[in-house]
Amino acid sequence: MPTTAIHASRILTPDDEISDGVIVVEGSRIAAMGHRDEMRLPADCIDFVATGMTVVPGFVDVHIHGAGGHDVMEGDARALDRITSTVARHGTTSMVATTVTAPIDETCRSLQGIASYIRAQEKAEPDHLCAEILGVHLEGPFISKARRGVHPPDSLARPSVETFGKLVEAADHLVKIVTVAPELPGALELIAAAVAAKIVAAIGHTDADYDQARAAIHAGARHAVHMYNAMRPFEHRDPGVVGAILTDPEVTAEVIADLVHVAGPAIQVLMGTKGFDTVLLVSDGIAATGMPDGNYRLGNFEVSVKDGVARNSEGKLAGSTLTMDRAVRNVVSIGVPLQDAVRMATVLPARRLGVAGKKGIIAIGADADLVALTSDLRVAGVMTRGAGLA
Ligand SMILES: [Zn+2]
């Protein structure tokens, strides 16, 4: 594979900033990087010149259901290819395929399909632009009926270590995140089982009060799914699950920063309270992402999209059509410094997944997952594990 040298006016690694930098890519990895004056480039390398642009790590989306007209629950390679190539055009270079609640057998079939796609991606160097699926996020069935959002009520299940084991098995042990409502019977045992299997236990779709949420954190839950959405709301004499998440620095919180799911000032409250190091940008994107308005499927039910906002037949918000580049622009528009916004979309989710060093970072030896952004933060070029760009 040829060597590529990417020249950029600015590189955000994202913990550091390098002006007039060069990144050398060999195969699917970053081989060298630094300031232009310090670099000796191979004579036969292909140059990609990103003058006036900022190069950042590819975005890592830990909560995404679909894109490009397809849903991860379809589970076949064609659908997953369509999803991974659609989001890659918006700068997402790795993602955690997120399920929606469905009957267990059906979910197992989807998980088997997703797992074989992941194993195939692991084996082959990519020959085209596509996000790498890092694993699965089980959003349901272990969630609250009262805070189910659009998840179908008939398929919700009580947390069960046995059922969880069946799902993990079907996914060939590629489950990375499991959403659990802490107040349900069996939730704490499930959280402990997830932690023992090195799976992130996430608090979400929950009506938990403060003490119930604290008990989940004590049992090992360290992540919160789409903060504020599908959660018992904060009340000053009853701070509930939101209060427990806001006040615990060990717990990371996802936010859907489309400015529809959560108002800008509520995102500011989240970041002002927790700091910039524990808030992760996610898309919660569905099949309609990257597609025109119309009717789409999310798991087993229909969703209609108008002006880019997805709702089910009752008018409830049903995921989003947000892309990670837009999420970054949105949080910058409400006052978050660019470097912090980029960290929220790259290194912080990578750390939560335990893949920091490989993903969400521009460093020697890391995967060559890169995004070139224009001065108004539009995506001008993307590289996924060495493929794309030049
Ligand atoms: Zn959800």
Side-chain angles (χ1 to χ4, degrees), residues 94-314:
S94 23
M95 55 174 269
V96 181
T98 305
T99 59
V100 67
T101 304
I104 296 296
D105 289 349
E106 200 183 312
T107 306
C108 284
R109 276 197 297 280
S110 301
L111 292 173
Q112 285 160 0
I114 297 166
S116 52
Y117 185 85
I118 294 174
R119 295 301 182 203
Q121 275 195 322
E122 281 173 351
K123 271 189 221 125
E125 298 242 311
D127 56 0
H128 64 289
L129 197 66
C130 66
E132 183 174 8
I133 301 186
L134 300 178
V136 173
H137 177 167
L138 297 172
E139 193 186 15
F142 311 121
I143 58 176
S144 147
K145 200 164 193 171
R147 302 282 176 195
R148 65 186 176 84
V150 299
H151 289 252
D154 299 346
S155 300
L156 299 179
R158 278 189 174 195
S160 144
V161 173
E162 197 192 332
T163 308
F164 177 57
K166 202 175 160 189
L167 296 168
V168 169
E169 200 66 44
D172 197 13
H173 298 271
L174 287 163
V175 174
K176 299 292 177 195
I177 303 173
V178 58
T179 298
V180 187
E183 71 277 21
L184 298 179
L188 300 184
E189 290 79 2
L190 180 63
I191 290 167
V195 171
K198 296 198 162 45
I199 293 168
V200 176
I203 298 168
H205 284 275
T206 168
D207 202 35
D209 63 22
Y210 178 82
D211 290 338
Q212 289 167 328
R214 281 300 316 162
I217 295 167
H218 185 71
R222 290 290 181 273
H223 185 61
V225 172
H226 46 51
M227 185 67 184
Y228 301 117
N229 295 118
M231 281 179 188
R232 174 200 190 95
F234 179 86
E235 212 273 325
H236 61 291
R237 267 188 287 271
D238 176 17
V241 59
V242 168
I245 295 163
L246 285 178
T247 52
D248 196 308
E250 297 293 315
V251 178
T252 48
E254 304 175 349
V255 67
I256 308 169
D258 60 354
L259 307 181
V260 173
H261 279 75
V262 184
I267 297 177
Q268 287 165 328
V269 167
L270 175 63
M271 289 186 302
T273 313
K274 287 187 73 63
F276 290 134
D277 264 350
T278 47
V279 180
L280 317 184
L281 299 180
V282 294
S283 69
D284 199 9
I286 63 160
T289 303
M291 302 291 284
D293 283 359
N295 293 333
Y296 295 90
R297 292 195 75 76
L298 173 56
N300 277 334
F301 54 95
E302 188 153 285
V303 168
S304 69
V305 179
K306 193 166 174 275
D307 302 324
V309 178
R311 296 182 189 275
N312 75 352
S313 55
E314 300 161 57

